[in-house]
Amino acid sequence: MSEIILEKICQETFIKTSPEKVYDTITSGDGWNAFFTSETEINPKLGGMITFRWKDWGPNFYTTSAGGPVLEAGRPHKFSFKWGIERPSVVTFELTGNYGGTVLKLTEEGYPNTSKGRANMLDCACGWGEAVTLLKFYLEHGIVYTPPEK
């Protein structure tokens, strides 16, 4: 059995706005907080830290945080960081101006090939799909995350 899962999480979408606007949103705590997190902090430069936070998120009202160092900050085309606790994975956003907007490609790799690693990878694959969709809705239509009422 391999120590690291060779496959990557891949999410891709088209967003009808410029790569600069997408980049500025995904490298800003306020940007993330508008559509997917709460109280996220980002120092969007090489070696800076990113800390995602969710408080009472979604219908299960979970509260958690995760983060790590920024690995690449190449406005407006690439943003990459490590995150995780036991064995950090690497998340990379690649932004390409095309079709009158931006093609966003997100990949995440580096999960351990263990039962827990595979479960975490599945959870994050779903979460990144939700995040990319919410980012598109936010940037194209101004729709912000509305938490459920307890």
Side-chain angles (χ1 to χ4, degrees), residues 9-11 108 111 119-131:
I9 293 171
C10 294
Q11 300 288 344
E108 183 176 13
Y111 282 93
N120 287 341
M121 186 176 185
L122 286 171
D123 284 345
C124 285
C126 293
W128 284 125
E130 179 182 19

Side-chain angles (χ1 to χ4, degrees), residues 94-132:
E94 294 178 88
L95 310 172
T96 306
N98 210 348
Y99 313 114
T102 302
V103 174
L104 177 147
K105 181 178 181 183
L106 176 147
T107 58
E108 183 176 13
E109 60 188 316
Y111 282 93
N113 195 359
T114 63
S115 179
K116 185 175 179 180
R118 290 185 296 275
N120 287 341
M121 186 176 185
L122 286 171
D123 284 345
C124 285
C126 293
W128 284 125
E130 179 182 19
V132 166

Side-chain angles (χ1 to χ4, degrees), residues 11-13 15 104 106 127-136:
Q11 300 288 344
E12 196 167 3
T13 194
I15 303 174
L104 177 147
L106 176 147
W128 284 125
E130 179 182 19
V132 166
T133 301
L134 291 172
L135 174 63
K136 176 181 177 66

Side-chain angles (χ1 to χ4, degrees), residues 44-144:
K45 64 180 183 181
L46 180 63
M49 294 301 288
I50 183 168
T51 304
F52 291 101
R53 291 185 183 92
W54 294 267
K55 185 173 188 321
D56 294 331
W57 179 264
N60 295 318
F61 301 98
Y62 69 85
T63 298
T64 191
S65 65
V70 173
L71 302 175
E72 190 167 347
R75 186 179 191 268
H77 298 293
K78 196 168 187 181
F79 184 64
S80 181
F81 56 89
K82 275 188 178 181
W83 77 328
I85 297 169
E86 291 177 29
R87 180 172 289 209
S89 59
V90 175
V91 177
T92 302
F93 289 87
E94 294 178 88
L95 310 172
T96 306
N98 210 348
Y99 313 114
T102 302
V103 174
L104 177 147
K105 181 178 181 183
L106 176 147
T107 58
E108 183 176 13
E109 60 188 316
Y111 282 93
N113 195 359
T114 63
S115 179
K116 185 175 179 180
R118 290 185 296 275
N120 287 341
M121 186 176 185
L122 286 171
D123 284 345
C124 285
C126 293
W128 284 125
E130 179 182 19
V132 166
T133 301
L134 291 172
L135 174 63
K136 176 181 177 66
F137 290 170
Y138 172 63
L139 289 175
E140 290 184 359
H141 306 289
I143 297 171
V144 297

